Amino acid sequence: MKKWDVVVVGAGMIGLAAAYELVKKGAKTALLDAGGLGSGASAANMGLVISTDAEPGLISKLTSKSLELLERLSLELEYDLNYREKSFIDILYSKEDLLRGEKMAAGLKAKGFECRLLTPRELQGMEPGTTFPDALGGLYTKQGSIDPFSLLYGYYQAARKKDLDWFPYTKVIGFETSGAKVTGVCTRQMSFHADTVVLAAGAWTRELAALLGYDLPQYYIHGECMVTEVMPPILNSCVGLPVNRVEFEDSVSCLAAKNGWENLGLMDECDLVVVQVHNGNLIIGQKTYVHPEFKGDTTYTGMAEMAKKAVRVLPDLSYVSVIRSWVSPVPFTPDHQPFLGPLGRYENLIVSSGYKSTIILTPLAGKLVSRMALGESLDYALEEFYPGRFTEKELEA
């Protein structure tokens, strides 16, 4: 019977980073995914590196530390990840937007972030290639961007060079257990036996935890985005409208706790973010909706809503063609903190999922997961991120 030191389930950014860190230390590691590399949200995102998004407390410190690692990651992986510093600008159209922008700017400055309000003239000066009709100003922050495909492949090729065992299209259908340990991961092809198992399956982590009898309170939104044809440089910054994603997710969490996730009615909203990536395409997102089932097709209404908002902010987009679109489930937790730690009574099963801003935390999350999996000491007390911080509802067998 073949056995590994660690089996990692999920080949998104977090799973790949953990697998890389494990094989770098010489651990015999198998990486499984029901699809291919980044088949969930990891390959279906805008590549934004958002440092201002972290909740107060330890996660904010971890975000800052991980950003330092991300800035050096291309050198370590020997692969160009197309990481760049990038200005983010929220376009403010109303007095209410201005008041909200002032409040956000004050809060971010107090945390040490580079942030300021822009006048309409300053806004136009930062983005001379387009116009912002009726804008009263903008909220500027200094953030970053990265190519998510390069990030995935950079970790993958570095891990494969160090003898990672890779099993794509290998869906987990159950687990073997003995007492307080998970001894095997069952798939249709075979069972994978290991000393430690890592669940890093993004929105599918809840489904996998249920196979072990846990109703993990991790939910997900479906995010729709679209990509335009290649264009000459027209945007220096990532521009958009102020986002109320946290409030939306709070509403979803409350209703899911009250009525049950499977009984949740359709909820939706549409915000706007537009970024021009390194090869000239514009990514426009996102239409957000909630549905308990995983959806794979974008909607006409979602595309229309995003297009309408995009043209309001950038009128020149009226003449631009859309070449593709996508939708992907994006996980979140009720308190917007990740799940990072052992699952309930199973001391050798580590959950790493539900990150509010996955990209920026990927390098450090990979290191923390590898240390936990190998029983090494940690520089941080991570109990506040354990899945058991919520009341665990064990399902009847």
Side-chain angles (χ1 to χ4, degrees), residues 206-279:
R206 174 187 174 90
E207 182 180 295
L208 295 175
L211 296 175
L212 285 162
Y214 285 92
D215 185 9
L216 195 66
Q218 176 183 279
Y219 309 117
Y220 46 85
I221 58 175
H222 285 80
E224 295 185 346
C225 293
M226 53 187 176
V227 182
T228 74
E229 61 187 311
V230 173
M231 298 182 64
I234 64 168
L235 276 180
N236 299 317
S237 309
C238 173
V239 302
L241 300 173
V243 176
N244 294 314
R245 180 67 49 75
V246 170
E247 291 85 348
F248 181 71
E249 291 178 355
D250 285 342
S251 299
V252 174
S253 295
C254 289
L255 285 175
K258 180 180 179 181
N259 301 326
W261 173 246
E262 291 74 15
N263 301 318
L264 201 65
L266 181 65
M267 302 171 63
D268 67 341
E269 67 169 15
C270 186
D271 51 51
L272 178 71
V273 178
V274 184
V275 62
Q276 188 165 28
V277 295
H278 64 282
N279 58 3

Side-chain angles (χ1 to χ4, degrees), residues 107-153:
L108 292 173
K109 285 181 180 178
K111 296 177 182 178
F113 291 107
E114 184 176 337
C115 175
R116 70 178 187 275
L117 288 177
L118 303 173
T119 66
R121 178 172 292 184
E122 289 173 324
L123 177 59
Q124 195 62 59
M126 291 190 68
E127 295 295 340
T130 187
T131 60
F132 300 93
D134 305 323
L136 300 181
L139 173 64
Y140 161 87
T141 57
K142 183 179 179 182
Q143 309 277 3
S145 67
I146 202 167
D147 180 357
F149 298 101
S150 296
L151 181 58
L152 288 165
Y153 190 74

Side-chain angles (χ1 to χ4, degrees), residues 49-66:
V49 181
I50 305 175
S51 56
T52 59
D53 209 21
E55 297 294 304
L58 177 57
I59 195 65
S60 183
K61 296 179 181 178
L62 298 183
T63 298
S64 297
K65 175 62 177 177
S66 195

Side-chain angles (χ1 to χ4, degrees), residues 7 9 32 172 174-176 183-187 190-193 197:
V7 170
V9 180
L32 285 56
V172 174
F175 296 91
E176 298 175 10
T183 57
V185 179
C186 304
T187 73
M190 59 181 287
S191 291
F192 294 80
H193 296 93
V197 175

Side-chain angles (χ1 to χ4, degrees), residues 274-346:
V274 184
V275 62
Q276 188 165 28
V277 295
H278 64 282
N279 58 3
N281 302 94
L282 291 175
I283 304 179
I284 302 171
Q286 76 178 5
K287 171 69 175 182
T288 299
Y289 67 92
V290 176
H291 196 285
E293 297 178 7
F294 293 115
K295 298 293 184 180
D297 297 323
T298 54
T299 62
Y300 170 79
T301 54
M303 298 299 105
E305 284 187 64
M306 285 189 288
K308 183 178 180 180
K309 289 197 172 190
V311 169
R312 180 191 179 192
V313 173
L314 302 170
D316 290 346
L317 294 185
S318 299
Y319 309 100
V320 176
S321 297
V322 173
I323 60 173
R324 71 181 181 94
S325 60
W326 72 70
V327 61
S328 181
V330 182
F332 66 93
T333 67
D335 61 2
H336 311 290
Q337 305 273 29
F339 286 133
L340 181 56
L343 179 65
R345 64 178 178 271
Y346 296 110

